[in-house]
Amino acid sequence: GANIDMTPNGMFLAVTAWGAETVGTIYLFSRRDYSDEFSEVHRFDGQHPREYLGIQGISIETKKSSVVVHSRASDVHGQIENSENARSYMLRCACAIKGLFCSGYETYPKMACQSGSKFHLTLTTDSVGEDTSWEVRSVHDNKVLKSGSDYSSSLTHFDIFDLSSNLCYTFKIYDKSNNGICCNFGKGFYTITFGSFTVKGGEFGSEETVEFGDCD
């Protein structure tokens, strides 16, 4: 391998290597104790010939629910769409029991499955309720986790669901008439609560975004 990096706790190791097609590969290894040998747990391959994934450097970091590997390639054909020729890869853990969330990569191998936090949404629509919609996305993969639309007018609606307390999310609310839900056509509002975090709104244009969760 040409480049190598290890997490501060010494439990994860990332190494770069190149084969005949020179796309480049990053190998991820782990161990459960300082006296153990490392074992391969995953690999990340470059996507284009002569990309040389990781040739300009790699770094590895552990977060509460994921291991993230950052790399810089040579990318002689200009296939990577950023000026740093960088790619990042995230390996997340999962719990077998539905409704529980994996935590503990920072203290690996002492990992645990934990219950999440409740996300509460209270939404009072204005007199044009069908114009209002919303969605909650996870920031790391931009995946829509929950959404709502087609609401009745001038009524209060409630939604409650579980989210992992270890991830970062965005709540985005939309209005088709571009005047929010307050105060041109009634005094609509929304309130979201997640753990100790609470925010209330209603006066916006076409959309408004709120970030919440573990976003540091």
Side-chain angles (χ1 to χ4, degrees), residues 175-206:
D175 183 73
K176 292 180 181 178
S177 298
N178 301 324
N179 54 26
I181 55 177
C182 183
C183 299
N184 294 334
F185 298 97
K187 294 185 178 181
F189 70 92
Y190 70 85
T191 302
I192 63 173
T193 301
F194 185 69
S196 60
F197 175 82
T198 298
V199 67
K200 182 177 180 179
E203 296 185 57
F204 57 93
S206 60

mmCIF file of all heavy atoms in Angstrom, residues 175-206:
data_model
loop_
_atom_site.group_PDB
_atom_site.id
_atom_site.type_symbol
_atom_site.label_atom_id
_atom_site.label_comp_id
_atom_site.label_asym_id
_atom_site.label_seq_id
_atom_site.Cartn_x
_atom_site.Cartn_y
_atom_site.Cartn_z
ATOM 1 N N ASP A 175 -44.297 25.527 0.470
ATOM 2 C CA ASP A 175 -45.595 26.130 0.199
ATOM 3 C C ASP A 175 -45.672 26.486 -1.281
ATOM 4 O O ASP A 175 -44.865 27.277 -1.784
ATOM 5 C CB ASP A 175 -45.818 27.383 1.045
ATOM 6 C CG ASP A 175 -47.194 27.975 0.808
ATOM 7 O OD1 ASP A 175 -48.180 27.381 1.286
ATOM 8 O OD2 ASP A 175 -47.283 29.018 0.126
ATOM 9 N N LYS A 176 -46.630 25.893 -1.996
ATOM 10 C CA LYS A 176 -46.747 26.091 -3.438
ATOM 11 C C LYS A 176 -47.076 27.528 -3.812
ATOM 12 O O LYS A 176 -46.748 27.992 -4.909
ATOM 13 C CB LYS A 176 -47.811 25.148 -4.014
ATOM 14 C CG LYS A 176 -47.450 23.682 -3.964
ATOM 15 C CD LYS A 176 -48.561 22.829 -4.555
ATOM 16 C CE LYS A 176 -48.230 21.350 -4.487
ATOM 17 N NZ LYS A 176 -49.333 20.503 -5.027
ATOM 18 N N SER A 177 -47.744 28.258 -2.918
ATOM 19 C CA SER A 177 -48.126 29.642 -3.217
ATOM 20 C C SER A 177 -47.013 30.643 -2.895
ATOM 21 O O SER A 177 -47.187 31.856 -3.099
ATOM 22 C CB SER A 177 -49.385 30.019 -2.429
ATOM 23 O OG SER A 177 -50.482 29.201 -2.807
ATOM 24 N N ASN A 178 -45.896 30.137 -2.387
ATOM 25 C CA ASN A 178 -44.714 30.972 -2.105
ATOM 26 C C ASN A 178 -44.958 32.053 -1.053
ATOM 27 O O ASN A 178 -44.330 33.110 -1.078
ATOM 28 C CB ASN A 178 -44.203 31.629 -3.391
ATOM 29 C CG ASN A 178 -43.817 30.621 -4.451
ATOM 30 O OD1 ASN A 178 -43.291 29.554 -4.135
ATOM 31 N ND2 ASN A 178 -44.102 30.937 -5.700
ATOM 32 N N ASN A 179 -45.880 31.777 -0.117
ATOM 33 C CA ASN A 179 -46.128 32.772 0.941
ATOM 34 C C ASN A 179 -46.199 32.131 2.323
ATOM 35 O O ASN A 179 -46.788 32.706 3.237
ATOM 36 C CB ASN A 179 -47.404 33.569 0.656
ATOM 37 C CG ASN A 179 -48.625 32.677 0.436
ATOM 38 O OD1 ASN A 179 -48.666 31.556 0.936
ATOM 39 N ND2 ASN A 179 -49.587 33.158 -0.318
ATOM 40 N N GLY A 180 -45.590 30.960 2.492
ATOM 41 C CA GLY A 180 -45.576 30.301 3.781
ATOM 42 C C GLY A 180 -46.949 29.868 4.236
ATOM 43 O O GLY A 180 -47.887 29.758 3.436
ATOM 44 N N ILE A 181 -47.090 29.620 5.523
ATOM 45 C CA ILE A 181 -48.396 29.220 6.068
ATOM 46 C C ILE A 181 -48.930 30.257 7.054
ATOM 47 O O ILE A 181 -49.916 30.041 7.732
ATOM 48 C CB ILE A 181 -48.315 27.827 6.728
ATOM 49 C CG1 ILE A 181 -47.225 27.772 7.808
ATOM 50 C CG2 ILE A 181 -48.056 26.759 5.668
ATOM 51 C CD1 ILE A 181 -47.152 26.433 8.528
ATOM 52 N N CYS A 182 -48.232 31.375 7.140
ATOM 53 C CA CYS A 182 -48.678 32.517 7.933
ATOM 54 C C CYS A 182 -48.060 33.781 7.320
ATOM 55 O O CYS A 182 -46.885 33.794 6.985
ATOM 56 C CB CYS A 182 -48.249 32.361 9.391
ATOM 57 S SG CYS A 182 -48.815 33.657 10.514
ATOM 58 N N CYS A 183 -48.813 34.793 7.048
ATOM 59 C CA CYS A 183 -50.094 35.061 7.674
ATOM 60 C C CYS A 183 -51.067 35.651 6.652
ATOM 61 O O CYS A 183 -52.016 36.380 7.007
ATOM 62 C CB CYS A 183 -49.919 36.038 8.829
ATOM 63 S SG CYS A 183 -48.825 35.409 10.133
ATOM 64 N N ASN A 184 -50.817 35.370 5.353
ATOM 65 C CA ASN A 184 -51.670 35.932 4.292
ATOM 66 C C ASN A 184 -53.027 35.259 4.195
ATOM 67 O O ASN A 184 -54.027 35.906 3.883
ATOM 68 C CB ASN A 184 -50.952 35.836 2.939
ATOM 69 C CG ASN A 184 -49.722 36.708 2.851
ATOM 70 O OD1 ASN A 184 -49.637 37.721 3.541
ATOM 71 N ND2 ASN A 184 -48.755 36.319 2.031
ATOM 72 N N PHE A 185 -53.062 33.956 4.446
ATOM 73 C CA PHE A 185 -54.314 33.199 4.314
ATOM 74 C C PHE A 185 -54.576 32.386 5.576
ATOM 75 O O PHE A 185 -54.859 31.190 5.530
ATOM 76 C CB PHE A 185 -54.249 32.277 3.084
ATOM 77 C CG PHE A 185 -54.081 33.013 1.786
ATOM 78 C CD1 PHE A 185 -52.821 33.154 1.216
ATOM 79 C CD2 PHE A 185 -55.165 33.588 1.158
ATOM 80 C CE1 PHE A 185 -52.651 33.845 0.026
ATOM 81 C CE2 PHE A 185 -55.011 34.281 -0.036
ATOM 82 C CZ PHE A 185 -53.756 34.412 -0.602
ATOM 83 N N GLY A 186 -54.480 33.034 6.701
ATOM 84 C CA GLY A 186 -54.670 32.356 7.976
ATOM 85 C C GLY A 186 -53.376 32.303 8.765
ATOM 86 O O GLY A 186 -52.296 32.551 8.235
ATOM 87 N N LYS A 187 -53.487 31.973 10.031
ATOM 88 C CA LYS A 187 -52.329 31.952 10.923
ATOM 89 C C LYS A 187 -51.871 30.515 11.160
ATOM 90 O O LYS A 187 -52.014 29.954 12.243
ATOM 91 C CB LYS A 187 -52.664 32.644 12.233
ATOM 92 C CG LYS A 187 -52.925 34.142 12.059
ATOM 93 C CD LYS A 187 -53.145 34.839 13.394
ATOM 94 C CE LYS A 187 -53.354 36.334 13.194
ATOM 95 N NZ LYS A 187 -53.547 37.062 14.474
ATOM 96 N N GLY A 188 -51.325 29.932 10.112
ATOM 97 C CA GLY A 188 -50.759 28.597 10.239
ATOM 98 C C GLY A 188 -49.386 28.638 10.885
ATOM 99 O O GLY A 188 -48.740 29.686 10.945
ATOM 100 N N PHE A 189 -48.926 27.494 11.377
ATOM 101 C CA PHE A 189 -47.585 27.408 11.982
ATOM 102 C C PHE A 189 -47.171 25.946 12.055
ATOM 103 O O PHE A 189 -47.992 25.034 11.896
ATOM 104 C CB PHE A 189 -47.559 28.024 13.384
ATOM 105 C CG PHE A 189 -48.312 27.230 14.423
ATOM 106 C CD1 PHE A 189 -47.665 26.268 15.197
ATOM 107 C CD2 PHE A 189 -49.670 27.437 14.617
ATOM 108 C CE1 PHE A 189 -48.362 25.529 16.142
ATOM 109 C CE2 PHE A 189 -50.374 26.702 15.566
ATOM 110 C CZ PHE A 189 -49.715 25.746 16.335
ATOM 111 N N TYR A 190 -45.883 25.733 12.298
ATOM 112 C CA TYR A 190 -45.385 24.387 12.571
ATOM 113 C C TYR A 190 -44.480 24.441 13.786
ATOM 114 O O TYR A 190 -43.826 25.450 14.059
ATOM 115 C CB TYR A 190 -44.635 23.806 11.375
ATOM 116 C CG TYR A 190 -43.302 24.466 11.093
ATOM 117 C CD1 TYR A 190 -42.136 24.069 11.758
ATOM 118 C CD2 TYR A 190 -43.201 25.502 10.163
ATOM 119 C CE1 TYR A 190 -40.924 24.689 11.509
ATOM 120 C CE2 TYR A 190 -41.987 26.118 9.902
ATOM 121 C CZ TYR A 190 -40.848 25.703 10.580
ATOM 122 O OH TYR A 190 -39.651 26.325 10.338
ATOM 123 N N THR A 191 -44.442 23.343 14.529
ATOM 124 C CA THR A 191 -43.507 23.171 15.642
ATOM 125 C C THR A 191 -42.877 21.798 15.516
ATOM 126 O O THR A 191 -43.599 20.800 15.357
ATOM 127 C CB THR A 191 -44.211 23.288 17.001
ATOM 128 O OG1 THR A 191 -44.851 24.564 17.099
ATOM 129 C CG2 THR A 191 -43.214 23.136 18.144
ATOM 130 N N ILE A 192 -41.551 21.730 15.562
ATOM 131 C CA ILE A 192 -40.877 20.436 15.576
ATOM 132 C C ILE A 192 -40.079 20.317 16.865
ATOM 133 O O ILE A 192 -39.497 21.288 17.345
ATOM 134 C CB ILE A 192 -39.969 20.224 14.345
ATOM 135 C CG1 ILE A 192 -38.837 21.255 14.305
ATOM 136 C CG2 ILE A 192 -40.768 20.255 13.070
ATOM 137 C CD1 ILE A 192 -37.824 20.977 13.205
ATOM 138 N N THR A 193 -40.079 19.103 17.433
ATOM 139 C CA THR A 193 -39.349 18.814 18.663
ATOM 140 C C THR A 193 -38.584 17.513 18.483
ATOM 141 O O THR A 193 -39.131 16.520 17.991
ATOM 142 C CB THR A 193 -40.300 18.694 19.864
ATOM 143 O OG1 THR A 193 -41.032 19.914 20.017
ATOM 144 C CG2 THR A 193 -39.526 18.426 21.138
ATOM 145 N N PHE A 194 -37.307 17.535 18.871
ATOM 146 C CA PHE A 194 -36.467 16.344 18.804
ATOM 147 C C PHE A 194 -35.535 16.383 20.005
ATOM 148 O O PHE A 194 -34.599 17.175 20.061
ATOM 149 C CB PHE A 194 -35.673 16.309 17.499
ATOM 150 C CG PHE A 194 -34.876 15.050 17.295
ATOM 151 C CD1 PHE A 194 -35.509 13.845 17.048
ATOM 152 C CD2 PHE A 194 -33.491 15.071 17.341
ATOM 153 C CE1 PHE A 194 -34.783 12.682 16.853
ATOM 154 C CE2 PHE A 194 -32.752 13.923 17.152
ATOM 155 C CZ PHE A 194 -33.399 12.722 16.901
ATOM 156 N N GLY A 195 -35.832 15.555 21.002
ATOM 157 C CA GLY A 195 -35.084 15.627 22.250
ATOM 158 C C GLY A 195 -35.326 16.967 22.918
ATOM 159 O O GLY A 195 -36.464 17.380 23.115
ATOM 160 N N SER A 196 -34.248 17.675 23.218
ATOM 161 C CA SER A 196 -34.371 18.991 23.851
ATOM 162 C C SER A 196 -34.488 20.122 22.830
ATOM 163 O O SER A 196 -34.647 21.283 23.197
ATOM 164 C CB SER A 196 -33.159 19.250 24.751
ATOM 165 O OG SER A 196 -31.962 19.227 24.003
ATOM 166 N N PHE A 197 -34.418 19.783 21.547
ATOM 167 C CA PHE A 197 -34.470 20.795 20.491
ATOM 168 C C PHE A 197 -35.919 21.070 20.092
ATOM 169 O O PHE A 197 -36.687 20.150 19.820
ATOM 170 C CB PHE A 197 -33.696 20.304 19.271
ATOM 171 C CG PHE A 197 -33.780 21.224 18.070
ATOM 172 C CD1 PHE A 197 -32.961 22.331 17.967
ATOM 173 C CD2 PHE A 197 -34.687 20.962 17.053
ATOM 174 C CE1 PHE A 197 -33.025 23.175 16.862
ATOM 175 C CE2 PHE A 197 -34.771 21.792 15.951
ATOM 176 C CZ PHE A 197 -33.940 22.904 15.858
ATOM 177 N N THR A 198 -36.292 22.345 20.043
ATOM 178 C CA THR A 198 -37.633 22.754 19.615
ATOM 179 C C THR A 198 -37.523 24.023 18.775
ATOM 180 O O THR A 198 -36.749 24.934 19.100
ATOM 181 C CB THR A 198 -38.548 23.043 20.821
ATOM 182 O OG1 THR A 198 -38.699 21.848 21.594
ATOM 183 C CG2 THR A 198 -39.935 23.488 20.350
ATOM 184 N N VAL A 199 -38.275 24.066 17.694
ATOM 185 C CA VAL A 199 -38.316 25.265 16.866
ATOM 186 C C VAL A 199 -39.730 25.435 16.315
ATOM 187 O O VAL A 199 -40.432 24.451 16.064
ATOM 188 C CB VAL A 199 -37.282 25.200 15.712
ATOM 189 C CG1 VAL A 199 -37.653 24.118 14.704
ATOM 190 C CG2 VAL A 199 -37.140 26.543 15.025
ATOM 191 N N LYS A 200 -40.147 26.684 16.164
ATOM 192 C CA LYS A 200 -41.475 27.005 15.658
ATOM 193 C C LYS A 200 -41.338 27.991 14.505
ATOM 194 O O LYS A 200 -40.472 28.874 14.525
ATOM 195 C CB LYS A 200 -42.340 27.607 16.765
ATOM 196 C CG LYS A 200 -43.778 27.935 16.343
ATOM 197 C CD LYS A 200 -44.581 28.451 17.532
ATOM 198 C CE LYS A 200 -46.021 28.776 17.119
ATOM 199 N NZ LYS A 200 -46.827 29.265 18.268
ATOM 200 N N GLY A 201 -42.180 27.835 13.485
ATOM 201 C CA GLY A 201 -42.132 28.735 12.338
ATOM 202 C C GLY A 201 -43.443 28.757 11.594
ATOM 203 O O GLY A 201 -44.413 28.111 11.988
ATOM 204 N N GLY A 202 -43.453 29.506 10.516
ATOM 205 C CA GLY A 202 -44.658 29.620 9.689
ATOM 206 C C GLY A 202 -44.553 30.726 8.656
ATOM 207 O O GLY A 202 -45.175 30.663 7.602
ATOM 208 N N GLU A 203 -43.764 31.737 8.957
ATOM 209 C CA GLU A 203 -43.587 32.848 8.028
ATOM 210 C C GLU A 203 -42.347 32.602 7.174
ATOM 211 O O GLU A 203 -41.222 32.748 7.634
ATOM 212 C CB GLU A 203 -43.458 34.169 8.796
ATOM 213 C CG GLU A 203 -44.710 34.553 9.569
ATOM 214 C CD GLU A 203 -44.591 35.927 10.212
ATOM 215 O OE1 GLU A 203 -44.336 36.900 9.473
ATOM 216 O OE2 GLU A 203 -44.736 36.021 11.444
ATOM 217 N N PHE A 204 -42.562 32.187 5.949
ATOM 218 C CA PHE A 204 -41.469 31.954 5.002
ATOM 219 C C PHE A 204 -42.040 32.119 3.595
ATOM 220 O O PHE A 204 -43.229 32.430 3.432
ATOM 221 C CB PHE A 204 -40.849 30.563 5.198
ATOM 222 C CG PHE A 204 -41.821 29.419 5.081
ATOM 223 C CD1 PHE A 204 -42.021 28.772 3.873
ATOM 224 C CD2 PHE A 204 -42.542 28.982 6.193
ATOM 225 C CE1 PHE A 204 -42.919 27.707 3.764
ATOM 226 C CE2 PHE A 204 -43.428 27.920 6.109
ATOM 227 C CZ PHE A 204 -43.627 27.287 4.880
ATOM 228 N N GLY A 205 -41.220 31.939 2.594
ATOM 229 C CA GLY A 205 -41.676 32.059 1.219
ATOM 230 C C GLY A 205 -42.105 30.727 0.646
ATOM 231 O O GLY A 205 -43.101 30.140 1.062
ATOM 232 N N SER A 206 -41.315 30.212 -0.288
ATOM 233 C CA SER A 206 -41.656 28.938 -0.919
ATOM 234 C C SER A 206 -41.222 27.738 -0.082
ATOM 235 O O SER A 206 -41.814 26.659 -0.188
ATOM 236 C CB SER A 206 -41.016 28.848 -2.305
ATOM 237 O OG SER A 206 -39.603 28.930 -2.212
#
